[in-house]
Amino acid sequence: MTTRYLILEDGTIFEGRAFGSNEASVGHVVFATGMTGYQETISNPSSAGQMIVMTYPAIGNYGINRDDYESIEPALNGLIAREYCDEPSNFRSGMSLGKLLELKGIPGIDEIDTRHLTLHLRDNGTLRGMITEAGATLDEAKALATLKEYEAPTNLVASVSTQKAYPSPGLGERVVLIDYGMKHGILRELNKRDCDVIVVPYDTDVETIASLFPDGILLSNGPGNPEHLQQQIETIQSLLGKYPIFGIGLGHQLLALATGAKVQKMKHGRYGSNHPVKNLKTNRTELTSQCHGYEIVRESLEGTGMEVTHVALNDESVQGIADESRHAFSVQFHPEGSPGPIDAVELFDDFIQAIKAVRRKGSHNA
């Protein structure tokens, strides 16, 4: 066993066992609920810059397979588990979780009390943390000094967005998907509906988007503070009312900001695959997959034209908004699941229907 430490900015220290990369790392420590789906969780670009605590105790037991990636380059800064399994047993497994983390330069630590750590984060909020080098001697003073100086990068979206536009052809509606850190599950759902998708970088301008002759615009999920993306907010403002728009995750927050609403940082965010959300239009409760540390300020929606369509049952926070007059809607959760339930996957059908409705009315202004 090679010892390594997890050190939090408030001085809390956990001693555990190293797996994955031997390197040290710093990031914001958050906890993710859900019993399965660690491969999708660590490969979700929305997790960029974070150290994820898996609340389910056994991690790595079914290995890593070729099909469950949400991106091919995991962007998280560390993985924290109660018990890591280095000998997976599953017919789809191609390598161990630890081997993948080693290849990608991501440190892991297990054999710590993740229940205690999760409760600590729940009570104190998201904290900066350091996973030390494998086998390193504990230097608490140096680690705390490093954590005090650490600031999360403001260019997280740039680090996970595609650098060049690319097509995912179909025979149906032309959808321009703006990639702020897109999960591949979103693209898969559009492909299932035979959409003619063009994925474009996060900083693509309005003129370039218009030159692609889209029928609709999808704003993807992604990491970080949406207020760092002022240029992208202005782009969305220019697109509103010209094309049907569907936002997911970070795209949901950006759409809200583009209409004049506000967002705020959450105490400990919401991560995992079992969060209940109520659809106010259907009065139906849906279990959802989520990965975000910011939320819309409900009161700020007044006067924006947006109405609340979904709320979180645990705290009544805003989970969905819509403006039918501008054919725009968005949700904070991930209707494509990956990991987790697909209770709300019909939102992709709603998006296609909105595109068709605009076409029938002849109200496409682009």
Side-chain angles (χ1 to χ4, degrees), residues 189-307:
E189 290 300 328
L190 294 174
N191 290 155
K192 286 179 184 178
R193 290 156 178 81
D194 202 27
C195 291
D196 184 25
V197 184
I198 301 177
V199 182
V200 300
Y202 79 104
D203 56 355
T204 303
D205 59 43
V206 174
E207 290 76 15
T208 302
I209 291 173
S211 73
L212 300 172
F213 301 101
D215 295 313
I217 309 292
L218 197 149
L219 313 174
S220 87
N221 64 292
N225 183 347
E227 293 182 322
H228 291 157
L229 301 171
Q230 290 302 313
Q231 179 182 341
Q232 286 65 49
I233 293 169
E234 293 173 7
T235 296
I236 295 169
Q237 288 172 336
S238 298
L239 296 170
L240 262 172
K242 294 183 178 180
Y243 307 94
I245 295 178
F246 178 23
I248 295 174
L250 180 64
H252 161 76
Q253 298 163 9
L254 291 172
L255 178 62
L257 289 170
T259 65
K262 297 179 180 179
V263 299
Q264 62 187 2
K265 186 174 176 60
M266 302 172 71
K267 182 177 180 180
H268 48 63
R270 189 177 284 114
Y271 306 88
S273 56
N274 50 6
H275 296 275
V277 168
K278 185 174 184 179
N279 184 326
L280 300 180
K281 292 190 173 183
T282 64
N283 206 33
R284 175 187 173 192
T285 296
E286 300 163 336
L287 290 180
T288 66
S289 178
Q290 309 214 11
C291 183
H292 63 104
Y294 290 82
E295 64 182 354
I296 294 174
V297 179
R298 186 166 191 157
E299 296 76 15
S300 72
L301 289 168
E302 293 184 15
T304 66
M306 288 287 179
E307 66 170 315

Side-chain angles (χ1 to χ4, degrees), residues 97-116:
L97 170 61
K99 182 61 177 179
L100 176 68
L101 296 182
E102 180 183 347
L103 290 172
K104 300 300 182 181
I106 300 169
I109 181 172
D110 78 331
E111 295 195 349
I112 68 171
D113 188 343
T114 50
R115 176 176 288 183
H116 173 67

Side-chain angles (χ1 to χ4, degrees), residues 315-328:
D315 61 7
E316 296 294 318
S317 62
V318 176
Q319 286 283 311
I321 57 175
D323 182 349
E324 293 185 3
S325 67
R326 289 184 283 186
H327 312 288

Side-chain angles (χ1 to χ4, degrees), residues 23 30 61 131 174 197 228 247 250 319:
E23 302 169 17
V30 302
N61 48 326
I131 294 178
R174 167 70 59 83
V197 184
H228 291 157
L250 180 64
Q319 286 283 311

Side-chain angles (χ1 to χ4, degrees), residues 22-229:
N22 288 327
E23 302 169 17
S25 184
V26 178
H28 285 94
V29 184
V30 302
F31 60 90
T33 58
M35 295 178 63
T36 62
Y38 58 77
Q39 182 171 341
E40 295 94 331
T41 297
I42 67 171
S43 61
N44 181 352
S46 295
S47 299
Q50 298 173 343
M51 294 181 168
I52 299 178
V53 182
M54 305 301 294
T55 57
Y56 189 72
I59 299 299
N61 48 326
Y62 54 84
I64 296 292
N65 65 74
R66 71 172 194 171
D67 299 321
D68 291 342
Y69 286 105
E70 288 304 310
S71 69
I72 59 174
E73 292 295 335
L76 78 165
N77 286 12
L79 187 65
I80 301 161
R82 175 66 186 92
E83 181 181 345
Y84 161 65
C85 174
D86 198 40
E87 297 181 357
S89 176
N90 186 277
F91 73 97
R92 294 199 303 158
S93 178
M95 71 171 66
S96 70
L97 170 61
K99 182 61 177 179
L100 176 68
L101 296 182
E102 180 183 347
L103 290 172
K104 300 300 182 181
I106 300 169
I109 181 172
D110 78 331
E111 295 195 349
I112 68 171
D113 188 343
T114 50
R115 176 176 288 183
H116 173 67
L117 174 55
T118 298
L119 293 175
H120 188 74
L121 295 171
R122 185 197 66 183
D123 294 340
N124 295 280
T126 298
L127 296 170
R128 286 171 285 193
M130 170 184 284
I131 294 178
T132 64
E133 293 179 11
T137 302
L138 177 63
D139 188 337
E140 181 180 352
K142 183 178 179 181
L144 291 175
T146 300
L147 289 170
K148 185 177 180 180
E149 297 174 359
Y150 175 75
E151 293 292 341
T154 59
N155 65 340
L156 288 172
V157 167
S159 70
V160 295
S161 174
T162 183
Q163 300 301 304
K164 296 181 66 177
Y166 61 91
S168 183
L171 298 176
E173 286 70 24
R174 167 70 59 83
V175 175
V176 169
L177 199 168
I178 304 179
D179 178 11
Y180 305 116
M182 175 195 70
K183 289 173 60 183
H184 285 179
I186 295 174
L187 188 57
R188 288 193 293 268
E189 290 300 328
L190 294 174
N191 290 155
K192 286 179 184 178
R193 290 156 178 81
D194 202 27
C195 291
D196 184 25
V197 184
I198 301 177
V199 182
V200 300
Y202 79 104
D203 56 355
T204 303
D205 59 43
V206 174
E207 290 76 15
T208 302
I209 291 173
S211 73
L212 300 172
F213 301 101
D215 295 313
I217 309 292
L218 197 149
L219 313 174
S220 87
N221 64 292
N225 183 347
E227 293 182 322
H228 291 157
L229 301 171

